[in-house]
């Protein structure tokens, strides 16, 4: 596709269950970001992948959160033992090279609701 | 640490009226500044950005923003808003670590 694709668009889960959120970046983009948007909050940085370098995980809120990027393309964000405070919109973005100041292309997000 | 403050959570303006959304940042060096817009059900879209040079930058959809170093501000303006401008607007600063730090956003409502 032409843009960043995220799936599912909506996910409802029960507290304590694990969830996986998927991001397909724009083809050829080496940089990939995950952000979290909670109700009434701004966007919170979670993790950044750049090519084959070790990811910047400095924004992950707890060890229940993890992410991987396979083959430099698709990324999966995994939340284990979900809690109600994990409810938010999870946004993925990509950019061509990850250079400072580069435009980010965002997906439409995954709305996660933890009951 | 870098931070961005958008003092107004929600602003309502009439269609055709002028608009100014405020943004203040905290950053030790020369900042890279951005405004993104999020329309309902859509991803964020870049409106404009500032790196250096002319402190008044033009963006898409008729928006402009002015960088004022002395005030640590990067306010977004539009001379005449349209109903389609109703959305949430985010100011952001690009840290040295290649990740954007966003403000909390300003929700814009347009009255007909």
């Amino acid at each position: 596709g032409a843009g960043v694709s995220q799936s599912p668009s909506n996910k409802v889960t029960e507290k304590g269950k694990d969830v996986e959120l998927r991001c397909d970046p724009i083809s050829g983009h080496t940089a990939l970001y995950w952000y979290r948007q909670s109700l009434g909050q701004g966007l919170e940085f979670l993790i950044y992948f750049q090519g084959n370098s070790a990811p910047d995980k400095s924004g992950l809120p707890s060890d229940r959160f993890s992410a991987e990027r396979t083959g430099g393309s698709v990324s999966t964000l995994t939340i284990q033992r979900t809690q109600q405070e994990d409810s938010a919109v999870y946004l993925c973005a990509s950019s061509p090279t990850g250079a400072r100041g580069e435009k980010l292309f965002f997906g439409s997000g995954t709305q996660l609701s933890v009951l | 640490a870098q931070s961005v403050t958008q003092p107004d959570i929600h602003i309502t303006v009439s269609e055709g009226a002028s608009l100014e959304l405020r943004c203040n940042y905290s950053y030790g060096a020369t900042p890279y500044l951005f405004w993104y817009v999020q329309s309902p059900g859509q991803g964020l879209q870049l409106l404009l950005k500032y790196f250096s040079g002319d402190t008044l930058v033009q963006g898409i959809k008729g928006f402009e923003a002015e960088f004022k170093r002395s005030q640590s501000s990067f306010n977004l303006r539009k001379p005449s808003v349209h109903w389609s401008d109703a959305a949430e607007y985010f100011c952001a600063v690009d840290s040295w670590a290649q990740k954007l730090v966003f403000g909390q956003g300003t929700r814009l409502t347009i009255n007909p």
Side-chain angles (χ1 to χ4, degrees):
Chain A
V4 176
S5 177
Q6 293 187 247
S7 61
S9 55
N10 283 282
K11 177 70 175 179
V12 180
T13 190
E14 295 179 349
K15 177 181 174 181
K17 300 286 189 182
D18 298 351
V19 296
E20 287 189 351
L21 312 180
R22 177 186 168 104
C23 172
D24 269 291
I26 293 173
S27 178
H29 281 194
T30 63
L32 187 148
Y33 306 77
W34 283 97
Y35 282 84
R36 177 169 71 175
Q37 184 177 17
S38 303
L39 190 63
Q41 303 295 316
L43 277 73
E44 174 190 12
F45 167 79
L46 296 177
I47 189 169
Y48 162 58
F49 295 90
Q50 169 57 292
N52 296 321
S53 302
D56 178 351
K57 304 179 182 179
S58 60
L60 295 178
S62 77
D63 57 9
R64 296 186 296 106
F65 288 72
S66 63
E68 63 177 18
R69 188 177 185 192
T70 54
S73 181
V74 172
S75 178
T76 302
L77 177 68
T78 301
I79 309 173
Q80 296 178 311
R81 306 181 302 280
T82 53
Q83 304 294 313
Q84 289 184 333
E85 60 263 29
D86 299 333
S87 296
V89 176
Y90 289 82
L91 294 169
C92 177
S94 70
S95 68
T97 69
R100 187 183 179 208
E102 199 167 56
K103 173 182 175 180
L104 298 190
F105 295 79
F106 282 85
S108 298
T110 294
Q111 172 76 60
L112 175 64
S113 299
V114 181
L115 304 180
Chain B
Q2 303 84 14
S3 66
V4 176
T5 302
Q6 293 181 245
D8 305 304
I9 296 174
H10 183 204
I11 283 182
T12 300
V13 298
S14 298
E15 189 167 16
S18 63
L19 171 71
E20 183 169 28
L21 303 182
R22 296 183 291 165
C23 171
N24 291 95
Y25 67 90
S26 172
Y27 186 66
T30 301
Y32 285 37
L33 295 160
F34 304 79
W35 277 98
Y36 280 82
V37 60
Q38 185 179 36
S39 299
Q42 298 186 23
L44 280 77
Q45 180 184 19
L46 179 66
L47 283 176
L48 49 77
K49 59 186 179 181
Y50 170 79
F51 295 166
S52 64
D54 192 348
T55 56
L56 185 64
V57 294
Q58 303 296 321
I60 63 170
K61 303 185 181 185
F63 285 92
E64 66 178 27
E66 185 171 14
F67 170 62
K68 293 186 177 179
R69 184 186 298 275
S70 62
Q71 299 177 18
S72 297
S73 70
F74 188 57
N75 294 349
L76 182 71
R77 300 195 294 249
K78 186 169 185 179
S80 175
V81 297
H82 185 261
W83 63 265
S84 61
D85 293 325
E88 187 139 23
Y89 292 79
F90 292 92
C91 183
V93 62
D94 193 336
S95 76
W96 60 271
Q98 287 84 41
K99 55 195 179 192
L100 291 183
V101 175
F102 286 86
Q104 292 191 317
T106 297
R107 184 162 61 94
L108 175 65
T109 299
I110 308 294
N111 281 337

